[in-house]
Amino acid sequence: MSDQRPVSEQEPLNADEILDVVDEHDRVVGQAPRAVTYARRLRTRCAFVLVRDAEDRIFVHRRTPRKLVFPAHYDMFVGGVVGAGESYDEAALREAEEELGVSGLARPEPLFRFLYETPEHTWWSAVYEVRCTLPVAPQEAEIDWHAFLPEEELARRLEEWPWTPDGLAAYRELTARRAAGEV
């Protein structure tokens, strides 16, 4: 059986979005479309937002199969790439509101930055946290399952579910820094 969806529904999301390309010190050195930055392993910027509800549970979701990077993987962060000319803080709030399907979210609190690097990808990553007491209505184009999970359940699921490697790295960095009393 062939896939009869329109071509636009089969293509990865946001491949043409223009991103700032940065150096090892997180200084802008150019710009390129997202697909080009991934294909050429150009370093960009990303914002990760850990979202907690009123009961201190963490928003966890599964990315749709159409995502350009890490399709159909689980993530404990909302967020995404920082657009050309955009600040980390602006991207964190924009991405959190878009992915959660809310407006009027408090500004996410910046926690730390780290450089995520693998043989395939590299980006400077700013990690944030925010409390969301608003009813969420996640973007169906980007999220195909979601729940607020207690941190203990999230910890159990780390070995069971396929997680976005960058989100998992950010979460491990966050838990290590919390254990050391740094955040």
Side-chain angles (χ1 to χ4, degrees):
M1 177 184 264
S2 67
D3 192 343
Q4 297 299 315
R5 292 177 299 162
V7 173
S8 63
E9 288 186 20
Q10 297 171 19
E11 295 171 354
L13 296 171
N14 305 320
D16 296 327
E17 180 179 7
I18 302 298
L19 307 180
D20 285 334
V21 176
V22 296
D23 66 12
E24 65 275 8
H25 303 290
D26 199 15
R27 294 181 299 224
V28 176
V29 295
Q31 294 181 335
R34 182 195 297 232
V36 171
T37 67
Y38 292 159
R40 296 185 186 165
R41 196 182 177 272
L42 301 175
R43 187 175 292 120
T44 58
R45 292 174 168 162
C46 188
F48 293 81
V49 184
L50 188 79
V51 179
R52 294 182 183 270
D53 68 3
E55 297 171 34
D56 216 32
R57 297 174 301 179
I58 297 172
F59 181 81
V60 175
H61 66 279
R62 185 177 55 235
R63 299 160 62 90
T64 64
R66 291 184 49 227
K67 294 294 281 186
L68 190 59
V69 176
F70 312 132
H73 281 67
Y74 289 85
D75 203 342
M76 66 286 288
F77 292 95
V78 295
V81 296
V82 177
E86 187 176 36
S87 72
Y88 284 108
D89 291 351
E90 291 167 336
L93 180 59
R94 174 184 54 77
E95 287 280 353
E97 286 188 334
E98 284 177 7
E99 289 192 26
L100 295 170
V102 302
S103 61
L105 190 65
R107 186 164 292 281
E109 174 189 354
L111 301 177
F112 62 91
R113 291 186 189 172
F114 76 103
L115 179 60
Y116 175 75
E117 287 195 292
T118 67
E120 299 83 23
H121 304 287
T122 178
W123 41 79
W124 274 101
S125 307
V127 178
Y128 294 79
E129 188 167 39
V130 71
R131 184 153 320 267
C132 180
T133 57
L134 303 165
V136 298
Q139 278 185 334
E140 291 181 14
E142 297 198 19
I143 296 174
D144 66 9
W145 173 88
H146 73 279
F148 280 94
L149 300 180
E151 199 146 3
E152 301 76 29
E153 182 175 350
L154 170 57
R156 283 194 309 272
R157 301 292 185 183
L158 292 179
E159 301 303 320
E160 298 173 10
W161 294 347
W163 295 91
T164 61
D166 60 341
L168 188 56
Y171 187 72
R172 288 188 169 142
E173 182 74 19
L174 175 60
T175 56
R177 288 177 184 236
R178 283 217 166 111
E182 297 174 13
V183 292

